[in-house]
Amino acid sequence: MPRTDEPFALVILGASGDLTRRKLVPALWSLYAGRTLPEPFAIIGSARSEASADEFRRRMRATVREFARVKPPSENVWDRFASALSYVPGDPADPALYAKLEAALREMEGARPGPANRLLYCATPPSLYETIIGNLGASGLARPQGGWTRIIVEKPFGRDYESARALNRQLGAVFREEQIYRIDHYLGKETVQNLLVLRFANTIFEPLWNRNHVAEVQITVAEALGVETRGTYYEEAGALRDMMQNHLLQLLCLLAMEPPVTFDAGPVHDEKNKVMHAIRPIDPRKIDEVALRGQYGPGFVEGKAVVGYRQEKGVAPDSRTDTYAALRLLVDNWRWAGVPFYLRTGKRMAKRVSEIAIRFHRTPHMIFHRDPSGVEPNELVIRIQPDEGMALTVAAKTPGPELKLGTVGLDFRYGEVFGAEPPEAYERLLLDAVHGDSTLYARADWVEHAWSLLGPVLDAWAQDSAAQPYRYEAGSWGPAEADAFISRDGGAWRKP
Ligand code: BG6
């Protein structure tokens, strides 16, 4: 990541929340320690609770020690970073807060050379977005003040098509589209970016990347974690809203899109949108053919006994929230017609693993075996996390006098090849926002389209008459019914 020296100030609204603690400040610190954060910079945290700048710095120091990729190397370096941190307490609903923020920004900007570049980060619960956006507009904070002003909006971006549209409209009334950065942290993951490099910086894959060669695609984002402390949020969300509408559909679009003319925001967003347009709309009368939901019961994850979802804090004892969701989507265009895309995500699954698996057709005629089913078709697996890398399986002759075939993997592991630990997604994305590059962010129309695609499923699952989610044991690969769901096409879920 190139280092540029353009001063900026970041205002984090929601600075006492989990996101600031676990992701934002650790990412900013790692960038700073890696000498990639433009300087001079200032970070203003803001939240309701009263605290002094020193208290905020102390809290952030503990946070960085716990969560940052790069640990503080010395007090000296930390002190320099910490001197850029300040704290402005206040209620986001109170216009007085925005006057205080403006004054704090002006003071900092007056004390250093360079333009007033401002990045505003909305890291509060989404119920506050409307109020915050309104106040940013009314106070004048949304308007550039001689430099650039940008806003990053965290997910969830709405909870359905209507609310996402309303949020886009509110944002659009106050900011121009090029000021708005809708974050999806999956797009900042190294291996997700590598998917694009794999596709568009090599010639050998592109000729195979279509229905003539690909039989099926499986996208899996499995988590071993449960809902942790977020039961109340999760009850309102569920796996389809929390993961599928954003992370998994983004992966599908990057995998399926046509080559953009350049790797810039406009062309990349246009190509992703074309995929969204090509996904076959879900027929409300045939939801069960396209979507399946599950909910974890008690079980064992990584050797530890864990409670079921309904026993989690903040969860209703008769909750119907989906902690597992699977979709079967078709992309109706020349490249992908007839190729099923299976997407699944779940909490409390056997292990944490995110991957994209592309299964190719079987050989048209197998000359080595009377029974061709003994030979697995080629498969390309892109491992997003953990153990980032990719593997291609090919058939090979096993050693010995007989001509017997086996499947071997050509395996590439990031850690082994490049050694260095990849940066966290938030590092990349924060830096991109500072540099004004929204390629790895979500555009308004994409977000709305993703919600509208899933609308029929969300509606069907919200009905009182809908069947209960299928149960699966915590620590398993999801409900047994998911196997029947995929086997209709003759396939089976991978066990990564
Ligand atoms: C978030 C979801 O967007 O992604 C969480 O809200 C989920 O529920 C998280 O745990 C997973 O992210 P990662 O980077 O750990 O795969």
Side-chain angles (χ1 to χ4, degrees):
M1 285 186 268
R3 185 189 159 95
T4 58
D5 279 317
E6 198 188 5
F8 75 99
L10 168 67
V11 177
I12 305 176
L13 296 159
S16 58
D18 244 25
L19 185 75
T20 305
R21 223 163 56 80
R22 286 171 180 265
K23 298 289 182 190
L24 302 183
V25 173
L28 291 160
W29 158 257
S30 296
L31 285 169
Y32 177 74
R35 305 179 60 75
T36 38
L37 198 62
E39 289 187 73
F41 66 92
I43 300 166
I44 306 178
S46 178
R48 278 206 189 95
S49 48
E50 282 295 331
S52 67
D54 276 341
E55 268 173 68
F56 182 62
R57 289 181 191 128
R58 262 198 304 281
R59 264 193 271 140
M60 293 307 114
R61 160 116 217 189
T63 272
V64 160
R65 212 179 269 134
E66 193 175 350
F67 297 110
R69 180 176 60 87
V70 181
K71 300 300 165 211
S74 70
E75 286 303 321
N76 244 345
V77 186
W78 171 260
D79 287 348
R80 264 186 282 135
F81 177 77
S83 68
L85 296 178
S86 57
Y87 186 76
V88 176
D91 178 354
D94 181 2
L97 170 65
Y98 301 83
K100 279 201 283 179
L101 288 171
E102 176 69 42
L105 283 165
R106 273 182 197 248
E107 194 187 317
M108 278 166 201
E109 288 156 2
R112 56 140 167 91
N117 296 325
R118 297 170 174 185
L119 185 57
L120 312 167
Y121 204 119
C122 227
T124 62
S127 53
L128 289 172
Y129 288 179
E130 189 182 341
T131 313
I132 290 175
I133 294 162
N135 277 326
L136 289 173
S139 64
L141 264 173
R143 267 197 311 277
Q145 305 290 333
W148 48 258
T149 294
R150 300 181 184 130
I151 182 166
I152 301 183
V153 187
E154 253 306 322
K155 70 174 276 272
F157 197 93
R159 52 173 286 105
D160 53 21
Y161 172 71
E162 290 304 333
S163 52
R165 260 193 81 163
L167 185 50
N168 274 331
R169 257 194 251 115
Q170 279 157 18
L171 280 165
V174 171
F175 295 93
R176 292 191 319 275
E177 178 63 23
E178 58 271 25
Q179 290 180 279
I180 307 168
Y181 287 68
R182 298 170 193 79
I183 201 162
D184 184 314
H185 78 283
Y186 266 61
L187 294 176
K189 289 186 189 273
E190 284 277 293
T191 15
V192 173
Q193 296 169 57
N194 198 42
L195 167 63
L196 297 173
V197 175
L198 173 83
R199 287 197 59 196
F200 303 127
N202 294 291
T203 53
I204 58 169
F205 298 109
E206 191 52 26
L208 306 178
W209 218 261
N210 57 56
R211 64 189 306 272
N212 297 326
H213 300 276
V214 175
E216 177 203 283
V217 175
Q218 286 189 24
I219 303 179
T220 301
V221 178
E223 294 182 273
L225 287 179
V227 291
E228 309 297 294
T229 52
R230 299 159 74 220
T232 318
Y233 153 76
Y234 203 82
E235 276 286 87
E236 293 296 313
L240 201 67
R241 286 194 168 91
D242 187 45
M243 301 290 287
M244 196 67 93
Q245 182 273 341
N246 35 70
H247 309 325
L248 280 89
L249 285 179
Q250 288 282 3
L251 295 180
L252 185 155
C253 285
L254 296 180
L255 181 92
M257 72 182 184
E258 296 301 314
V261 176
T262 56
F263 188 51
D264 291 307
V268 171
H269 289 157
D270 287 347
E271 293 308 334
K272 280 165 49 184
N273 272 359
K274 286 187 206 161
V275 178
M276 288 304 291
H277 278 283
I279 297 178
R280 186 177 299 178
I282 298 171
D283 183 341
R285 291 162 307 179
K286 296 187 182 158
I287 298 294
D288 292 347
E289 288 175 23
V290 178
L292 178 140
R293 65 174 166 168
Q295 191 186 74
Y296 63 83
F300 287 84
V301 175
E302 290 160 351
K304 259 186 36 212
V306 296
V307 298
Y309 177 69
R310 291 179 177 183
Q311 290 85 52
E312 300 274 15
K313 205 166 150 249
V315 172
D318 58 351
S319 168
R320 289 163 157 242
T321 300
D322 46 309
T323 64
Y324 172 101
L327 290 180
R328 176 188 188 273
L329 297 177
L330 291 167
V331 180
D332 286 337
N333 60 18
W334 274 54
R335 188 187 279 268
W336 296 114
V339 178
F341 284 75
Y342 285 102
L343 282 60
R344 66 174 161 167
T345 181
K347 297 224 179 260
R348 285 283 188 236
M349 298 199 31
K351 59 177 177 181
R352 174 174 185 250
V353 57
S354 299
E355 60 158 48
I356 298 173
I358 298 153
R359 196 163 51 76
F360 293 92
H361 288 302
R362 288 187 182 282
T363 47
H365 168 66
M366 178 52 70
I367 63 169
F368 299 111
H369 271 270
R370 291 230 171 77
D371 174 15
S373 65
V375 181
E376 290 301 314
N378 301 107
E379 196 161 43
L380 176 67
V381 178
I382 301 161
R383 291 188 303 265
I384 294 164
Q385 64 188 22
D387 190 19
E388 291 83 351
M390 61 183 110
L392 178 67
T393 62
V394 293
K397 181 186 172 310
T398 56
E402 281 177 70
L403 208 155
K404 279 196 176 162
L405 305 192
T407 301
V408 294
L410 311 178
D411 206 339
F412 150 71
R413 283 158 205 266
Y414 253 83
E416 279 172 19
V417 175
F418 295 117
E421 206 185 337
E424 286 278 330
Y426 275 93
E427 294 176 38
R428 167 68 197 238
L429 294 174
L430 280 165
L431 205 55
D432 279 0
V434 172
H435 291 320
D437 183 351
S438 64
T439 311
L440 298 176
Y441 282 81
R443 201 165 70 187
D445 44 358
W446 189 96
V447 176
E448 289 178 15
H449 209 116
W451 279 121
S452 114
L453 173 75
L454 299 184
V457 184
L458 291 169
D459 290 347
W461 288 357
Q463 300 297 318
D464 287 339
S465 56
Q468 295 267 345
Y470 297 117
R471 267 173 61 98
Y472 61 99
E473 202 179 310
S476 70
W477 279 108
E481 289 79 359
D483 295 337
F485 177 76
I486 195 170
S487 68
R488 271 203 306 262
D489 292 326
W493 292 111
R494 283 172 43 80
K495 294 210 166 25

